[in-house]
Amino acid sequence: MKEQTKTLAKAFSSRGADMGRAAKPGPADLPYKFHLQRLRIDAGGYDQGGAYWGLGAPLFWACDESTHSAPVEMFLRAGDREAVKAKIRESYPAARFYR
């Protein structure tokens, strides 16, 4: 498994931690090509930017930064990379993935 290279934006303020991070969906019919990366969650359930996810199945970040209208980004929990791909294909049937 690749080391995490996604730099996460700060996800907390004086009022506390954000609960997760917002997805940025796109039209389902475009041929997206996603980068997938497993994100580190600390023992308290927080990512490196301070957003709270809780503990459980591994957390993955998926992003297509191609020239479509805007980047598509999502955060998913799944047991492994293949399970994440299957979840993404439920919403984006034409999705492909970088290695």
Side-chain angles (χ1 to χ4, degrees):
M1 177 73 54
K2 283 185 175 180
E3 287 295 314
Q4 177 176 337
T5 56
K6 165 80 173 150
T7 302
L8 298 171
K10 179 182 133 183
F12 60 91
S13 67
S14 61
R15 296 180 185 258
D18 293 351
M19 296 292 288
R21 294 179 182 274
K24 298 173 186 170
D29 59 340
L30 294 177
Y32 298 108
K33 189 166 183 183
F34 289 97
H35 294 277
L36 294 179
Q37 190 173 97
R38 185 173 171 175
L39 300 179
R40 290 187 204 112
I41 300 296
D42 69 17
Y46 294 86
D47 67 24
Q48 290 182 327
Y52 179 74
W53 296 95
L55 301 175
L59 179 66
F60 288 83
W61 166 77
C63 183
D64 171 283
E65 297 173 331
S66 63
T67 58
H68 303 300
S69 59
V72 173
E73 183 175 45
M74 64 192 92
F75 297 87
L76 304 114
R77 286 196 181 267
D80 58 33
R81 184 178 170 86
E82 293 306 313
V84 170
K85 288 179 182 181
K87 284 185 175 189
I88 291 171
R89 285 188 181 117
E90 289 173 8
S91 299
Y92 302 99
R96 296 179 341 190
F97 303 90
Y98 290 99
R99 288 182 178 237

